[in-house]
């Protein structure tokens, strides 16, 4: 493979103390990632970011997941796994998971506590989905259709003109073995569709009220009758 290693730290839009970085700060961090290193991060699809990342010779993967699973994961992570998360104290002040999930769906803007709604959060997803030069991948496909998804990812590498110096079968095997989600500090279950265990009829109704046909637009449902 044409890469030496994976960058340890992601490029983020928010600092540890909660400050939103300026565009020039984010672009500076992106430019500091060596070209032969796999960089990763959580960045917005601004014109500046997209223009830099989609330069010739680069391969970009954008991974997104079912927003319902994302919400459940976010609540567990902020409540139980990351004490420095901006929502940690507030989530723990609520009586139960059900109430926390409602806040995750609607978002909150109270005093210095701010979190966007699920609909606003996914505006950024649609921005990347519409960006040429970015190969978009559903998290669910990486889990449930791993071989086909990894094969498509390798195709993107070879479109740059680079020839992978091993058989496709060997390359796929190496990639599959390298996926070790349990080593991630955000790992909880590694499953898909787990939202069904936590969404009540009330949560479903609230999600549709706030997010509209979000899951339909993303291809997770055929209609809003779920």
């Amino acid at each position: 493979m044409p890469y030496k290693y994976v960058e340890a730290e992601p490029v983020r839009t928010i600092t540890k103390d909660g400050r939103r970085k300026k565009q020039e700060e984010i672009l500076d961090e992106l430019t500091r990632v060596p070209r032969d290193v796999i960089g990763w991060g959580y960045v917005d699809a601004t014109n500046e970011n997209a223009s830099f990342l989609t330069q010739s010779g680069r391969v970009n993967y954008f991974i997104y997941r079912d927003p319902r699973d994302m919400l459940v994961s976010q609540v567990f992570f902020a409540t139980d796994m990351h004490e420095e998360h901006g929502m940690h104290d507030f989530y723990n002040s609520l009586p139960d998971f059900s109430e926390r999930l409602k806040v995750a769906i609607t978002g909150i803007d109270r005093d210095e506590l701010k979190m966007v709604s699920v609909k606003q959060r996914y505006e950024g997803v649609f921005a990347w989905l519409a960006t040429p030069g970015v190969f978009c991948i559903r998290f669910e496909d990486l889990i449930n259709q791993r071989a086909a998804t990894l094969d498509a990812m390798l195709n993107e590498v070879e479109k740059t003109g680079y020839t992978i110096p091993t058989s496709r079968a060997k390359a796929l095997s190496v990639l599959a073995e390298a996926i070790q989600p349990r080593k991630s500090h955000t790992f909880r279950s590694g499953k898909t569709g787990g939202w069904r265990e936590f969404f009540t009829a009330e949560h479903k109704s609230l999600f549709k009220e706030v997010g509209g046909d979000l899951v339909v637009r993303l291809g997770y449902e055929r209609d809003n009758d779920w």
Side-chain angles (χ1 to χ4, degrees):
M1 297 296 287
Y3 305 108
K4 294 179 179 177
Y5 59 89
V6 177
E7 188 67 49
E9 293 297 323
V11 176
R12 299 180 183 274
T13 58
I14 306 294
T15 64
K16 290 184 178 180
D17 60 3
R19 179 182 66 83
R20 177 168 286 276
K21 296 178 183 177
K22 297 179 180 179
Q23 174 62 62
E24 52 265 32
E25 293 179 88
I26 297 170
L27 195 57
D28 179 65
E29 290 185 36
L30 289 174
T31 59
R32 290 176 183 272
V33 178
R35 289 187 64 85
D36 54 357
V37 170
I38 298 177
W40 61 292
Y42 310 92
V43 296
D44 299 324
T46 63
N47 290 334
E48 294 87 349
N49 292 342
S51 178
F52 174 78
L53 290 171
T54 57
Q55 295 178 70
S56 177
R58 287 183 175 274
V59 179
N60 299 286
Y61 303 115
F62 174 70
I63 301 175
Y64 63 103
R65 71 185 303 189
D66 187 320
R68 296 162 295 190
D69 275 330
M70 180 279 297
L71 291 171
V72 170
S73 179
Q74 190 259 5
V75 172
F76 272 116
F77 179 68
T79 304
D80 302 327
M81 302 171 66
H82 187 35
E83 293 183 359
E84 295 182 359
H85 194 285
M87 292 296 293
H88 176 77
D89 291 340
F90 183 73
Y91 275 162
N92 278 286
S93 74
L94 298 176
D96 53 35
F97 184 90
S98 176
E99 292 303 310
R100 294 168 193 144
L101 184 55
K102 291 177 186 177
V103 173
I105 293 171
T106 63
I108 188 171
D109 187 351
R110 180 187 303 174
D111 299 324
E112 296 183 357
L113 191 62
K114 299 182 186 297
M115 182 176 67
V116 298
S117 70
V118 64
K119 182 178 182 179
Q120 293 170 300
R121 187 189 296 259
Y122 270 74
E123 288 175 356
V125 171
F126 287 112
W128 280 121
L129 291 176
T131 301
V134 176
F135 188 71
C136 299
I137 304 166
R138 299 204 315 184
F139 170 79
E140 293 78 10
D141 291 338
L142 269 177
I143 300 298
N144 302 321
Q145 301 177 43
R146 180 165 296 177
T149 303
L150 293 178
D151 192 53
M153 293 173 70
L154 289 177
N155 287 340
E156 291 299 304
V157 172
E158 294 199 322
K159 285 179 182 179
T160 66
Y162 179 82
T163 300
I164 298 173
T166 186
S167 69
R168 180 56 64 97
K170 177 62 175 178
L172 288 172
S173 176
V174 170
L175 286 177
E177 291 177 6
I179 298 176
Q180 301 288 338
R182 292 183 181 276
K183 292 184 178 181
S184 170
H185 72 287
T186 64
F187 177 81
R188 186 177 63 85
S189 69
K191 299 179 181 179
T192 64
W195 64 269
R196 295 180 179 85
E197 301 175 30
F198 302 96
F199 268 64
T200 64
E202 184 179 10
H203 293 124
K204 292 180 181 180
S205 178
L206 182 61
F207 184 99
K208 294 172 186 178
E209 177 184 337
V210 174
D213 62 349
L214 178 60
V215 291
V216 177
R217 293 173 62 199
L218 289 167
Y220 287 104
E221 300 287 351
R222 287 182 293 181
D223 54 49
N224 231 19
D225 186 23
W226 50 272

